[in-house]
């Protein structure tokens, strides 16, 4: 599966972009939040990618940050939420705003998103409450939000609870020098701490 693309931005519009990677052009669906951060055409770009494989098509979804991709993946796990609607969510509000709405049980705020009615908003609350939270990626992550999101996601897949993961990862980001805040290093160090407090 493609997890990241780095290359030359050939074309872009509000919902997609075309990236040349060593002579191969990849068409990538994107949310508005990512479009706003794209460089000018013919400049280098790097996006986090979610690859969706179906019988009739392979679709690439691109995101400027790791936490956007993490939220997208959580959204498409919800019954009735496809890739297009998940992109609408990310285009309508920032990750922190969506997480805050879920934490607060704010059906009204969620219902204002294009394509999401009251019933879908209530389903999002039921299925995502406790699975995402505004505390996961804090301001302390700074320029390392993508690495933090990847490390958090990997640790959760290993069975660690979100609250414990968030606490340990955010502590590491505040302690470590900038050049050591890679996803791999955060994951390795967080594993050591989480295993010691089990």
């Amino acid at each position: 599966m493609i997890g990241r693309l780095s290359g030359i931005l050939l074309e872009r519009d509000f919902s997609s972009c075309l990236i040349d990677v060593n002579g191969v052009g990849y068409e990538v669906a994107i949310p508005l939040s990512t479009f706003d951060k794209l460089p000018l055409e013919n400049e280098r770009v790097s996006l986090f990618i979610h690859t969706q494989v179906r019988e009739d098509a392979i679709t690439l979804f691109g995101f400027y940050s790791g936490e956007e991709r993490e939220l997208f993946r959580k959204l498409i796990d919800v019954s009735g939420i496809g890739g297009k609607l998940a992109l609408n969510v990310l285009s309508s509000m920032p990750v922190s705003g969506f997480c805050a709405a879920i934490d607060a049980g704010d059906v009204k705020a969620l219902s204002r998103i294009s394509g999401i009615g009251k019933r879908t908003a209530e389903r999002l609350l039921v299925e995502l409450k406790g699975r995402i939270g505004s505390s996961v990626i804090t301001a302390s992550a700074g320029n390392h939000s993508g690495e933090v999101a990847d490390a958090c996601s990997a640790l959760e897949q290993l069975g660690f609870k979100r609250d414990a993961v968030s606490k340990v990862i955010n502590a590491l980001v505040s302690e470590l020098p900038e050049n050591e805040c890679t996803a791999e290093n955060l994951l390795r160090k967080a594993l050591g701490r989480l295993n010691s407090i089990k």
Side-chain angles (χ1 to χ4, degrees), residues 53-173:
V53 180
R54 291 184 172 168
E55 287 183 12
D56 58 342
I58 297 175
T59 306
L60 302 180
F61 296 93
F63 309 94
Y64 185 77
S65 67
E67 66 264 29
E68 283 184 320
R69 182 178 64 179
E70 182 187 12
L71 177 55
F72 176 86
R73 287 173 169 171
K74 291 280 196 298
L75 286 166
I76 61 175
D77 280 343
V78 175
S79 174
I81 304 290
K84 186 176 180 182
L85 189 50
L87 288 183
N88 278 356
V89 171
L90 288 163
S91 295
S92 300
M93 60 173 62
V95 172
S96 58
F98 181 83
C99 291
I102 293 292
D103 280 346
D106 193 343
V107 173
K108 192 174 290 187
L110 297 173
S111 299
R112 286 196 288 265
I113 299 170
S114 174
I116 293 183
K118 184 180 179 184
R119 186 172 296 179
T120 305
E122 289 171 345
R123 191 185 312 126
L124 284 169
L125 285 175
V126 169
E127 296 200 28
L128 294 180
K129 187 81 169 176
R131 292 184 60 207
I132 64 171
S134 54
S135 62
V136 175
I137 300 163
T138 67
S140 67
N143 295 328
H144 308 294
S145 56
E147 287 81 0
V148 167
D150 285 350
C152 285
S153 179
L155 289 163
E156 284 179 54
Q157 288 173 22
L158 291 171
F160 293 101
K161 292 189 175 178
R162 177 170 287 269
D163 287 346
V165 167
S166 175
K167 186 175 180 181
V168 168
I169 288 290
N170 286 320
L172 286 169
V173 169

